[in-house]
Amino acid sequence: MAKTNEQCDIYCYDPEKVARVQDQVGQVDARSASQWFKVLADETRYKVAYALNVEGELCGCDLANILGTSTATVSHHLRILKQAGAVTYRREGKLVFYTLAGNQITHLLGGMEPEKEEKPLGI
């Protein structure tokens, strides 16, 4: 089998950097973070979370209008986000308003600004 150019020819280039990052990686709660990524992996849920991150609080029917989808579809995704602990809600008469709960989702969305031309992942 031919050797590819994508692999290093040496074992370790910067041992100090490896040790430093290895320590930081060891302190990360990867299981919890990966669960949040799974919640946001659905395109509609990501858009719901993003809209809530931008606006702070939105009514379910306004979220449906923002996304151009039915209230039933938005309600389904909000239910999943609520079960995951990502959103909270409050009822005001016939309206239900949603907000992001905690900082986990906000932190994940923090550096993700919409770009004019997005390059899709090669997955």
Side-chain angles (χ1 to χ4, degrees), residues 44-53 63 67 74 77-78 81:
T44 301
R45 281 195 296 279
Y46 176 85
K47 288 179 180 181
V48 167
Y50 188 86
L52 291 172
N53 191 47
L63 278 165
L67 300 179
V74 168
H77 291 289
L78 284 166
L81 288 166

Side-chain angles (χ1 to χ4, degrees), residues 2-61:
K3 189 174 185 178
T4 67
N5 291 334
E6 298 173 1
Q7 295 178 340
C8 291
D9 292 331
I10 61 173
Y11 177 69
C12 188
Y13 172 71
D14 192 339
E16 290 177 20
K17 186 183 292 185
V18 168
R20 184 177 67 249
V21 176
Q22 208 170 35
D23 183 49
Q24 291 174 356
V25 168
Q27 296 175 27
V28 170
D29 184 3
R31 177 167 290 175
S32 176
S34 69
Q35 293 303 316
W36 286 116
F37 282 113
K38 286 179 185 178
V39 169
L40 291 175
D42 180 87
E43 186 176 335
T44 301
R45 281 195 296 279
Y46 176 85
K47 288 179 180 181
V48 167
Y50 188 86
L52 291 172
N53 191 47
V54 168
E55 195 55 38
E57 181 180 70
L58 287 166
C59 173
C61 55

Side-chain angles (χ1 to χ4, degrees), residues 76-96:
H76 166 74
H77 291 289
L78 284 166
R79 189 176 320 109
I80 293 170
L81 288 166
K82 189 173 115 275
Q83 289 170 344
V87 298
T88 59
Y89 71 95
R90 68 178 180 86
R91 180 175 283 281
E92 192 174 299
K94 292 183 177 186
L95 302 173
V96 181

Side-chain angles (χ1 to χ4, degrees), residues 92-107:
E92 192 174 299
K94 292 183 177 186
L95 302 173
V96 181
F97 292 91
Y98 293 88
T99 57
L100 291 177
N103 293 329
Q104 297 93 344
I105 298 283
T106 303
H107 180 70

